[in-house]
Amino acid sequence: QKEVEQDPGPLSVPEGAIVSLNCTYSNSAFQYFMWYRQYSRKGPELLMYTYSSGNKEDGRFTAQVDKSSKYISLFIRDSQPSDSATYLCAMSSNTGNQFYFGTGTSLTVIP
Amino acid sequence: DAGITQSPRHKVTETGTPVTLRCHQTENHRYMYWYRQDPGHGLRLIHYSYGVKDTDKGEVSDGYSVSRSKTEDFLLTLESATSSQTSVYFCAISSTNTIYFGEGSWLTVV
């Protein structure tokens, strides 16, 4: 069993829709949770970073962590064609220097 | 901008030839990483470094070696390139429990 599971999609939504991206994990030691956006032929770009449980909001993006369920989510409100990319989740424990990644979800926002 | 530069950005090489990819950081971070990314597999760790001359293997280290003689530079070497090493390679640095990536090096082995 992989440490981090992420549905690869692809996910296709109309412009303006609310998008929900999710990852599950198995290691209860994970404390730091990240979401990356990766455009085609580019490197992953850090989008959201949260510590432990709870929500964090940044503009149209909300990251949510439920440690009791070992489940994290990224919500995108009012999705735009420029949000079309692959989204990767990542996490690490308190040791802080080993990172575990989902395989990424491909998102297309249709104008 | 995470201050990571990878070179070369694109390379085509022949099977059996040695290849070195370079990663340069301007942030003075202790931890540096090399990943490869392939469809269906996501990001897989090849090697990482936790200081000058301190390196360790990741999950897909066979066929790869690394060196770090200066804090700012981390080299990945394919001693004898094979077609299975055709991939995109990302260098990364970690800081305060998160990780930042370079723009990638696209390698094709023919």
Side-chain angles (χ1 to χ4, degrees):
Chain A
Q1 182 190 5
K2 289 184 179 180
E3 300 239 28
V4 181
E5 299 279 359
Q6 184 176 10
D7 187 338
L11 189 59
S12 185
V13 301
E15 182 174 354
I18 296 174
V19 176
S20 173
L21 304 167
N22 311 293
C23 289
T24 59
Y25 63 94
S26 56
N27 189 342
S28 58
F30 290 150
Q31 295 281 355
Y32 303 92
F33 303 92
M34 291 141 274
W35 285 96
Y36 291 83
R37 179 175 60 197
Q38 186 176 20
Y39 292 117
S40 179
R41 300 193 68 77
K42 294 288 190 180
E45 168 196 14
L46 181 66
L47 195 59
M48 298 286 283
Y49 168 79
T50 52
Y51 170 69
S52 195
S53 285
N55 292 0
K56 184 175 182 179
E57 188 173 320
D58 184 1
R60 295 184 295 110
F61 298 90
T62 299
Q64 196 171 78
V65 176
D66 181 349
K67 290 189 70 183
S68 62
S69 302
K70 297 190 181 67
Y71 189 88
I72 69 170
S73 301
L74 177 70
F75 298 97
I76 307 174
R77 291 184 299 281
D78 187 25
S79 56
Q80 301 295 309
S82 59
D83 295 328
S84 298
T86 297
Y87 291 80
L88 298 98
C89 63
M91 43 202 82
S92 68
S93 65
N94 274 330
T95 57
N97 296 111
Q98 297 294 329
F99 298 88
Y100 299 85
F101 294 89
T103 52
T105 300
S106 175
L107 172 67
T108 300
V109 180
I110 302 168
Chain B
D1 185 1
I4 304 170
T5 305
Q6 292 186 228
S7 60
R9 295 291 314 281
H10 299 89
K11 186 172 182 66
V12 180
T13 192
E14 293 186 349
T15 299
T17 60
V19 176
T20 295
L21 306 180
R22 179 178 182 252
C23 178
H24 179 80
Q25 63 151 328
T26 59
E27 307 294 325
N28 201 36
H29 289 300
R30 182 178 167 206
Y31 279 81
M32 298 184 75
Y33 309 78
W34 277 107
Y35 289 88
R36 60 178 289 174
Q37 187 178 41
D38 304 286
H41 293 281
L43 287 162
R44 291 183 291 175
L45 181 64
I46 304 171
H47 282 280
Y48 69 98
S49 169
Y50 47 95
V52 173
K53 292 184 169 50
D54 293 323
T55 65
D56 207 349
K57 296 179 180 181
E59 64 177 299
V60 290
S61 59
D62 287 349
Y64 301 95
S65 63
V66 290
S67 65
R68 192 166 178 201
S69 58
K70 297 187 288 185
T71 299
E72 58 265 36
D73 290 328
F74 192 31
L75 304 181
L76 176 71
T77 297
L78 291 66
E79 301 291 348
S80 177
T82 68
S83 58
S84 64
Q85 293 176 313
T86 292
S87 186
V88 55
Y89 293 85
F90 289 104
C91 176
I93 60 175
S94 72
S95 169
T96 56
N97 303 109
T98 192
I99 187 167
Y100 300 91
F101 291 89
E103 284 298 296
S105 293
W106 273 258
L107 177 68
T108 301
V109 183
V110 297

